[in-house]
Amino acid sequence: MKPQDLTESLHKHPFLSNMNEELLRTLTSCASNVIFNEGTYLFHEGEDAKTFYLLRSGRVVLEVRGGERGQIRIQTVGAGEVLGWSWLISPYKWHFDAFALEQVHAFAIDASCLVSKCETDCHFGYEMLRRFSEVLERRLEATRLQLLDVYGSAIGERGENY
Amino acid sequence: MTGTSNIEMRIGSSPSMVPSVAIVRRVIWETDDTYTLLIDPPRGDGRTFAFNAGQFNMVYAFGTGESAISISSDPFRMNILAHTIHRVGTVTSALSRLRRGDTIGLRGPFGTSWPIEEAVGKDICIAAGGIGLAPLRPVIYTLLRRREKFGRIMILYGSRSPLDILYRVELEEWSKAPNTEVIITVDRGDSSWKGHIGVVTSLFSYLKMDTPSTLAMVCGPEVMMKYTCEELERRGLSAAQIYLSMERNMKCGIGLCGHCQFGPKFICKDGPVFRLPQIKNLLDKKEI
Amino acid sequence: MNNPFRLTIEGLERVIMSLQQKGYDVIGPRYSDGVIVYDRIHSIDDLPAGFVDELTPGMYRLTKSGNRQFFGYTLPPQSWKRFLYPPCRELFTLRKDGRSFGLTPKEDRSPAYAFVGVRACELSAISIQDRVFSSGDYRDEAYLSVRRRNFIIAVNCSQPAETCFCTSMGTGPKAGAGFDIVLTEIINGESHYFVAEAGSDAGTSLMEGIGAGGADESDVGAADETIRKASAAVTRIMDTSDLPELLAENTDHPQWDDVAKRCLTCGNCTMVCPTCFCSTVEDRTDLAGRIAGRTRTWDSCFTMDFARVSGGNFRISGKSRYRQWLTHKLSSWVEQFGVSGCVGCGRCITWCPVGIDLTAEVGAIKRGSTKQESGGSR
């Protein structure tokens, strides 16, 4: 894919919607197209987080190694979403395993390339951080909601007269 | 009588506190703790039992008590009534032990219904959480029965775990209907679960809704509905395009016992189905 | 006043007799166990002549004044609600027959009641419950059946209590409507009589039937004066301006926390309130599990069970339960039934064990309302 084509298709990803041309070109220089086959891992817990992914199709499930409980699947991420921010935060290691439930097409963004651009171009850096914060906030809210176990019964209320 | 009354005090039959008797046909276990009670509708006075999608009945177990339960069957199938029930207490346990030929008491149907007529010609987004799928099932039956009258149908369903998913076979069938999507997500997956994991609100990012022509119908636990409504509004639906079904304690079902009050609304007669603007200001308030 | 009658004490006795002859169960005030109660009366001898009650927040005291006044008390703890809408009513019984069961609805055998001594505030309360129980398609037929056969003799209040605020609520002390006959009790030196006015054809025909004579101008003047004095004696004030909006907009007001510290959530206020209508049902079976029944009983929004559902409880804190009661009574009631749920009788103040006064709570909320704050008045 030519850089121009890559910029165009990146532009279509919701994470980068309404990003201006110049910043998008900066990002393109760190991006590449990747494909993961169904049943493969995108990354593993503990590995260095050197990339993040903008998913274009297919779904990825995040797994925690649960010891005697096996692999615990905690969340799925799909087309239009962002996968991974460990590259941004020390110690830059993945916290989960990421498993492709289907064939996954994604843009991989090279973290060291991106970090150096962010540091030299504060405007670009701020824009990236702002977009990531939004993703983080929404992911946190969803996680809290998941924690509530809303479909379970309130503790201590079973056995009442219903 | 005496009274100031310009209040109407006509004599007539109003919804009663006395149930009709209905015969149980079957109990089908949907999950470990949730079952569907199939009954022959009561035929008092030679009338057939008709209901609208979204309405509920007061279901009575002999000597144990009564529970408000949504009707989850097809409004067009007049010969059978279904109630999908979460077994949590004495009444719902007693009902779960019934066998073919046993009798229950039934009062209803009560309450408001989902806006099927308003939905004609529109895209419809159905968002259900947990047992909230049960009151929406009659809507899905109705939409699919008159499929050509409606636009795209999106059914989003959040469940606690893969084992807690209701109506599995039907969900599969519905997904095959023309221009109909069914997306299921669970709060907790296991290694055999290939579907989505996460809350219902996360599913909206996979839909490109034509927001001006979409009508949303939401039912589930109150927290789930609150966040779902917020997400729908964030995605461009106006509050007036969103309907939801509320739950409260109910003792009478006919607006007299006072238990189901939600601010000035009686859930049993002003609801359970509300258009969001009717109750929006109350949803954010604590312990209303 | 149109065609006022002058009713002697003997005349009142004849009124009671006449009602009995017409088949009414005559209910009126009488003394019982230290309080006035509404109960069956057979003659004027049953009336609590000479009793005076003192009502203050959290206190009720009944004393013998020594005068002859029949209706010299203000308000008993219980209202007429218990006759129109009984605290406990059997709805149906069931008998198991193999795997089926037969259901017998409870027949309505309530008598035709004639009430003697209904206060103006209580007439308003009855008319409010009429609305509640005949709201659109949702009607309580048993209640309406009792009301249709109901005969009411009101007695204008001559001695409001410290807890009364009927003038704020526009419900008293003079009976406006909703009665068959209204009396004003007059004691003037040796003479003791009533000025009576009919409020319905049934009332007129009863008064004529017992041969009551017409009242003259001075009688009517004495009655007017009694009511004027009573009206002036009402000291407690509820500020009702924009009250529904005030409470609806102030659900997070700190005053709710304050009142919650005092409120015992005992539910007394709901039991003595003449308009509170919440109920629950109780199911029971015999030991063999063959005969079952269901009873409707009064309930209170102060109980922990009131808003409980299978998945939890919507109102756990005492604060939320007090707020529900007061906000329903004074705010959402208006949206639901077109009138306030409060008639200013003050029973909830008198019978609150800790003397919580709703007029004071409303005042506190009004003083610190969020609306005012946003308007910059603080």
Side-chain angles (χ1 to χ4, degrees):
Chain A
M1 196 181 269
K2 283 180 279 182
Q4 186 54 38
D5 296 346
L6 188 59
T7 306
E8 260 174 40
S9 48
L10 269 170
H11 203 181
K12 287 183 191 135
H13 195 278
F15 179 69
L16 303 173
S17 67
N18 302 320
M19 188 182 248
N20 80 36
E21 284 284 323
E22 196 192 328
L23 298 181
L24 209 56
R25 270 197 303 278
T26 311
L27 185 71
T28 310
S29 63
C30 299
S32 60
N33 257 305
V34 289
I35 297 174
F36 293 95
N37 287 326
E38 178 184 336
T40 58
Y41 280 89
L42 281 73
F43 51 76
H44 284 99
E45 187 178 332
E47 288 173 358
D48 289 338
K50 292 176 184 163
T51 28
F52 76 91
Y53 300 96
L54 301 176
L55 303 187
R56 305 173 65 193
S57 70
R59 274 179 313 121
V60 175
V61 64
L62 297 177
E63 299 177 342
V64 178
R65 294 172 194 175
E68 73 282 9
R69 291 173 60 193
Q71 289 287 98
I72 301 169
R73 297 189 160 180
I74 54 162
Q75 190 175 36
T76 48
V77 184
E81 295 187 289
V82 178
L83 176 62
W85 49 70
S86 298
W87 62 274
L88 189 61
I89 299 149
S90 165
Y92 315 106
K93 307 262 187 214
W94 294 117
H95 294 294
F96 304 111
D97 294 341
F99 180 78
L101 288 166
E102 298 155 358
Q103 191 182 61
V104 170
H105 289 253
F107 300 113
I109 315 290
D110 183 84
S112 59
C113 168
L114 191 70
V115 168
S116 69
K117 304 262 185 208
C118 287
E119 279 170 4
T120 51
D121 181 349
C122 289
H123 181 48
F124 175 75
Y126 171 73
E127 187 61 26
M128 289 307 292
L129 211 55
R130 195 182 62 77
R131 285 168 190 259
F132 261 99
S133 306
E134 205 170 299
V135 172
L136 282 167
E137 194 273 334
R138 297 186 50 74
R139 211 63 73 78
L140 178 63
E141 186 184 296
T143 305
R144 283 173 175 160
L145 203 52
Q146 219 169 335
L147 267 178
L148 289 175
D149 189 21
V150 289
Y151 310 125
S153 290
I155 294 159
E157 294 292 338
R158 280 177 189 267
E160 297 295 337
N161 188 30
Y162 295 99
Chain B
M1 66 155 284
T2 64
T4 53
S5 294
N6 34 20
I7 303 299
E8 190 179 7
M9 279 215 173
R10 71 201 141 97
I11 300 174
S13 66
S14 40
S16 165
M17 285 298 285
V18 180
S20 306
V21 174
I23 312 286
V24 173
R25 231 190 254 183
R26 261 185 96 176
V27 168
I28 303 167
W29 284 92
E30 306 279 357
T31 71
D32 275 357
D33 59 6
T34 304
Y35 58 96
T36 298
L37 180 66
L38 294 176
I39 56 174
D40 291 324
R43 280 174 232 280
D45 319 330
R47 280 179 301 185
T48 49
F49 185 98
F51 72 96
N52 294 316
Q55 290 193 294
F56 67 93
N57 282 323
M58 298 298 289
V59 183
Y60 171 79
F62 183 85
T64 309
E66 211 174 35
S67 256
I69 316 266
S70 299
I71 307 172
S72 56
S73 45
D74 184 344
F76 289 85
R77 281 185 70 194
M78 309 288 249
N79 63 340
I80 194 149
L81 260 183
H83 295 88
T84 300
I85 304 171
H86 192 192
R87 188 189 59 194
V88 282
T90 48
V91 175
T92 50
S93 295
L95 292 170
S96 77
R97 290 190 293 268
L98 297 173
R99 297 287 170 266
R100 173 186 283 274
D102 286 341
T103 29
I104 58 162
L106 201 72
R107 297 190 294 124
F110 298 132
T112 55
S113 50
W114 297 106
I116 305 277
E117 288 316 309
E118 192 188 336
V120 169
K122 296 199 171 111
D123 289 353
I124 296 143
C125 175
I126 287 173
I131 199 156
L133 184 57
L136 283 162
R137 190 167 70 159
V139 175
I140 299 170
Y141 286 138
T142 309
L143 299 181
L144 296 182
R145 221 170 239 286
R146 302 157 63 198
R147 185 66 197 87
E148 71 291 347
K149 289 196 182 299
F150 306 96
R152 177 179 171 208
I153 299 174
M154 297 157 270
I155 300 169
L156 310 182
Y157 177 41
S159 176
R160 193 185 205 190
S161 78
L163 291 175
D164 291 301
I165 293 171
L166 297 175
Y167 315 139
R168 265 175 182 276
V169 176
E170 285 180 298
L171 284 163
E172 181 69 32
E173 281 170 17
W174 297 335
S175 71
K176 291 175 190 149
N179 199 13
T180 304
E181 294 143 88
V182 175
I183 312 180
I184 304 171
T185 185
V186 296
D187 274 356
R188 285 160 211 190
D190 55 37
S191 51
S192 69
W193 175 249
K194 301 281 187 280
H196 295 273
I197 302 170
V199 290
V200 154
T201 47
S202 67
L203 297 180
F204 289 102
S205 60
Y206 305 123
L207 293 174
K208 282 204 173 59
M209 287 189 285
D210 179 15
T211 48
S213 73
T214 301
L215 208 60
M217 306 185 199
V218 185
C219 186
E222 210 163 298
V223 204
M224 172 264 173
M225 292 199 288
K226 188 168 120 84
Y227 283 96
T228 303
C229 292
E230 278 174 16
E231 184 67 27
L232 283 164
E233 290 191 272
R234 226 178 62 87
R235 299 211 170 249
L237 266 77
S238 71
Q241 289 169 276
I242 304 170
Y243 285 82
L244 62 170
S245 179
M246 299 294 295
E247 188 203 8
R248 279 293 183 277
N249 187 357
M250 288 184 196
K251 294 294 180 191
C252 74
I254 53 177
L256 298 173
C257 79
H259 278 259
C260 69
Q261 286 178 86
F262 181 49
K265 306 293 183 201
F266 289 94
I267 300 293
C268 69
K269 63 171 187 178
D270 302 322
V273 178
F274 291 94
R275 199 194 273 262
L276 180 57
Q278 289 180 277
I279 53 170
K280 197 164 189 276
N281 62 332
L282 296 168
L283 279 175
D284 290 333
K285 290 184 176 164
K286 274 183 264 177
E287 295 192 272
I288 284 289
Chain C
M1 211 181 258
N2 48 10
N3 301 326
F5 298 94
R6 182 183 164 113
L7 188 69
T8 60
I9 303 307
E10 296 70 36
L12 180 61
E13 181 74 352
R14 284 202 298 282
V15 166
I16 293 171
M17 296 300 167
S18 173
L19 288 168
Q20 283 164 347
Q21 277 159 19
K22 288 178 200 290
Y24 284 106
D25 224 350
V26 183
I27 310 293
R30 62 191 298 170
Y31 172 83
S32 173
D33 298 329
V35 293
I36 303 290
V37 295
Y38 294 144
D39 198 358
R40 188 167 293 145
I41 55 168
H42 301 98
S43 80
I44 55 168
D45 295 338
D46 290 328
L47 296 173
F51 278 104
V52 175
D53 51 7
E54 188 189 345
L55 313 177
T56 57
M59 198 206 74
Y60 173 98
R61 184 171 293 146
L62 194 66
T63 49
K64 262 295 207 186
S65 70
N67 76 17
R68 295 162 289 160
Q69 202 176 352
F70 290 115
F71 300 95
Y73 63 92
T74 307
L75 281 175
Q78 290 282 354
S79 66
W80 306 94
K81 177 169 88 171
R82 61 185 302 104
F83 298 97
L84 301 171
Y85 172 60
C88 186
R89 183 169 121 66
E90 182 144 38
L91 296 172
F92 55 82
T93 52
L94 306 123
R95 181 179 289 273
K96 205 152 202 171
D97 176 16
R99 294 170 70 196
S100 181
F101 55 74
L103 193 148
T104 317
K106 189 75 181 173
E107 275 178 56
D108 179 21
R109 292 223 181 93
S110 57
Y113 288 118
F115 296 159
V116 178
V118 181
R119 298 300 191 191
C121 55
E122 297 184 309
L123 286 174
S124 288
I126 292 169
S127 85
I128 289 169
Q129 285 213 324
D130 286 352
R131 286 181 185 242
V132 169
F133 292 129
S134 65
S135 177
D137 287 336
Y138 301 91
R139 301 197 304 282
D140 183 335
E141 295 297 344
Y143 173 91
L144 297 177
S145 153
V146 178
R147 279 287 288 134
R148 279 181 203 110
R149 294 173 287 135
N150 193 192
F151 191 95
I152 289 182
I153 299 179
V155 175
N156 283 321
C157 184
S158 60
Q159 59 294 313
E162 195 255 297
T163 47
C164 293
F165 54 102
C166 59
T167 47
S168 296
M169 304 313 292
T171 59
K174 184 185 189 330
F179 51 80
D180 294 286
I181 296 169
V182 61
L183 308 177
T184 309
E185 189 172 15
I186 311 282
I187 295 181
N188 187 7
E190 283 305 300
S191 67
H192 183 189
Y193 63 98
F194 297 91
V195 173
E197 188 189 352
S200 70
D201 293 344
T204 307
S205 101
L206 187 119
M207 290 305 288
E208 288 168 358
I210 60 133
D216 63 24
E217 239 172 67
S218 71
D219 296 335
V220 174
D224 288 346
E225 179 62 9
T226 302
I227 293 161
R228 195 194 59 75
K229 276 188 183 154
S231 196
V234 178
T235 52
R236 190 171 296 269
I237 289 166
M238 168 89 96
D239 185 350
T240 58
S241 57
D242 301 327
L243 190 49
E245 299 77 17
L246 178 83
L247 295 183
E249 285 163 11
N250 282 283
T251 49
D252 292 322
H253 196 283
Q255 188 62 23
W256 300 119
D257 292 304
D258 187 272
V259 69
K261 284 183 199 144
R262 289 168 278 138
C263 175
L264 310 176
T265 67
C266 68
N268 261 15
C269 47
T270 56
M271 296 294 107
V272 296
C273 178
T275 66
C276 270
F277 62 88
C278 288
S279 64
T280 186
V281 288
E282 283 170 11
D283 291 279
R284 57 172 198 284
T285 52
D286 66 345
L287 284 175
R290 275 200 290 271
I291 295 167
R294 160 166 275 217
T295 308
R296 183 195 67 188
T297 59
W298 287 359
D299 200 5
S300 169
C301 52
F302 282 93
T303 68
M304 263 311 249
D305 269 347
F306 193 83
R308 200 193 293 269
V309 291
S310 62
N313 194 335
F314 287 102
R315 285 183 219 111
I316 292 168
S317 69
K319 167 187 165 183
S320 70
R321 283 176 275 145
Y322 184 86
R323 184 183 63 187
Q324 168 62 22
W325 177 69
L326 197 71
T327 307
H328 182 215
K329 185 89 12 200
L330 301 173
S331 174
S332 43
W333 205 297
V334 179
E335 184 172 333
Q336 291 168 348
F337 304 110
V339 285
S340 169
C342 178
V343 297
C345 73
R347 280 188 175 93
C348 56
I349 306 173
T350 304
W351 293 96
C352 175
V354 294
I356 293 172
D357 168 7
L358 78 171
T359 65
E361 300 308 320
V362 165
I365 289 167
K366 194 150 227 168
R367 279 192 299 280
S369 109
T370 50
K371 209 179 171 186
Q372 283 184 12
E373 278 172 19
S374 63
S377 65
R378 283 176 57 152

